Amino acid sequence: LGPPPAPPPVPLWRQFLAQFGLLAPSVPREIGIGLVLGLGAWVGVLVALIGIAAVIVAVAGEDVLPKQPPALVPFIAGLPIGVRVLVSLSAGVVEEGFFRGFLQPRIGIPLSTAFFALAHLSYGAPFMLIGITMLSLIYAFTVRWRQNLWPAMAAHALFDAVQLLVVVPSVLRLIQGAGGKAAALLAALL
């Protein structure tokens, strides 16, 4: 008996997909898991942020919450629907590819999450960073659980699409008609 036969070489395209977290037994199944997770994450993070904002108002008063959304938010909400859809899809693919596909395996979940939050600091809304950090952790642990990026990309794209197409335009309209505590709570969510 001789040595066991060498395994067949792995094609370069499979190595590329594996290296970037895009190799999965069933991509449609992984995307489906991501869409369900994305909807759950959207509801969970929104409820958590409302609760946190309510506690902050109860403890420190409404003066600590922003009175207006960050300037970038109304700008993005005013973009054509097609552009907002493309922004959502590209954020899901590009940000997850970089933060979860590239950084996370090299520097770990805590640092990749910190860098993800810092990348969103330019919105000028420190309160928003709480939700962004929560989402980043959800996406990070999803990648660890599923061993590929597809669910996180789908969840991220869905979250951004719901925010940009439904939530932000609706909240901006409500802020215009609301006053006092209600406007502060709504502005804090953006």
Side-chain angles (χ1 to χ4, degrees):
L1 297 179
V10 177
L12 187 59
W13 66 271
R14 282 188 68 82
Q15 291 177 36
F16 176 81
L17 291 177
Q19 176 70 30
F20 291 99
L22 299 173
L23 195 59
S26 171
V27 172
R29 181 174 188 270
E30 297 299 315
I31 290 173
I33 289 169
L35 293 175
V36 170
L37 178 79
L39 188 57
W42 177 77
V43 171
V45 167
L46 202 56
V47 167
L49 287 178
I50 290 169
I52 292 167
V55 167
I56 290 172
V57 168
V59 171
E62 64 186 66
D63 291 338
V64 297
L65 293 178
K67 301 298 181 241
Q68 294 293 320
L72 190 56
V73 171
F75 169 76
I76 292 173
L79 294 172
I81 289 176
V83 173
R84 287 184 276 157
V85 169
L86 289 175
V87 166
S88 300
L89 291 173
S90 67
V93 172
V94 173
E95 289 182 0
E96 292 310 307
F98 180 70
F99 290 102
R100 255 59 72 190
F102 179 74
L103 283 183
Q104 183 173 312
R106 289 159 179 80
I107 64 174
I109 290 174
L111 279 176
S112 62
T113 295
F115 286 134
F116 184 77
L118 287 172
H120 291 82
L121 195 59
S122 65
Y123 287 122
F127 188 77
M128 185 190 299
L129 292 180
I130 296 168
I132 288 169
T133 301
M134 292 167 70
L135 288 168
S136 182
L137 289 169
I138 290 168
Y139 303 151
F141 284 108
T142 299
V143 168
R144 179 177 280 172
W145 167 50
R146 301 304 303 167
Q147 294 297 303
N148 70 80
L149 292 178
W150 293 107
M153 288 190 300
H156 189 150
L158 177 66
F159 182 89
D160 285 359
V162 170
Q163 287 298 107
L164 294 178
L165 297 172
V166 179
V167 175
V168 170
S170 299
V171 169
L172 288 174
R173 281 191 297 275
L174 288 171
I175 287 174
Q176 291 171 350
K181 265 187 205 179
L185 280 170
L186 290 168
L189 296 176
L190 302 177

